[in-house]
Amino acid sequence: MPTHEEEDAFWRDFDRLSAVQKAEFNAAVAKFVADLRRGSFRKGLRIKRVQGRPDTWEMTWADDGRAFFTYGSPLRPGDPHIVWLRVGTHDIFDE
């Protein structure tokens, strides 16, 4: 089972999301976790590296919903550890 943590900026972003956006993000995270367990991400999440930040990844959770994450040091052997950095609309690229 993957482990996770969230940066303070993630929580500030998350608090600004609407209830619908929070539900969409949480649904995408459920798919993300299932894909981590399986060992490959489905195309619909559009997981890719963030340009200019080779250690940071982007997940698309809605048409205008993005989340940035990185892989942290595993807390349990064999389980990935995800550090959520930011979440929001495409505007998080500009910040």
Side-chain angles (χ1 to χ4, degrees), residues 24-94:
E24 290 173 331
F25 174 72
N26 288 331
V29 168
K31 293 175 184 176
F32 177 87
V33 169
D35 291 353
L36 278 173
R37 289 179 183 151
R38 191 179 67 218
S40 65
F41 292 112
R42 65 192 77 207
K43 290 181 182 181
L45 293 177
R46 294 184 277 177
I47 305 291
K48 60 184 179 181
R49 289 186 191 269
V50 174
Q51 188 175 12
R53 295 187 65 185
D55 63 332
T56 303
W57 297 79
E58 170 192 351
M59 176 183 78
T60 300
W61 51 269
D63 287 342
D64 192 22
R66 305 291 186 274
F68 294 159
F69 68 93
T70 190
Y71 290 93
S73 298
L75 301 180
R76 293 188 301 251
D79 288 336
H81 182 70
I82 302 300
V83 180
W84 293 105
L85 306 171
R86 301 291 310 271
V87 63
T89 65
H90 199 266
D91 292 342
I92 64 174
F93 288 105
D94 298 330

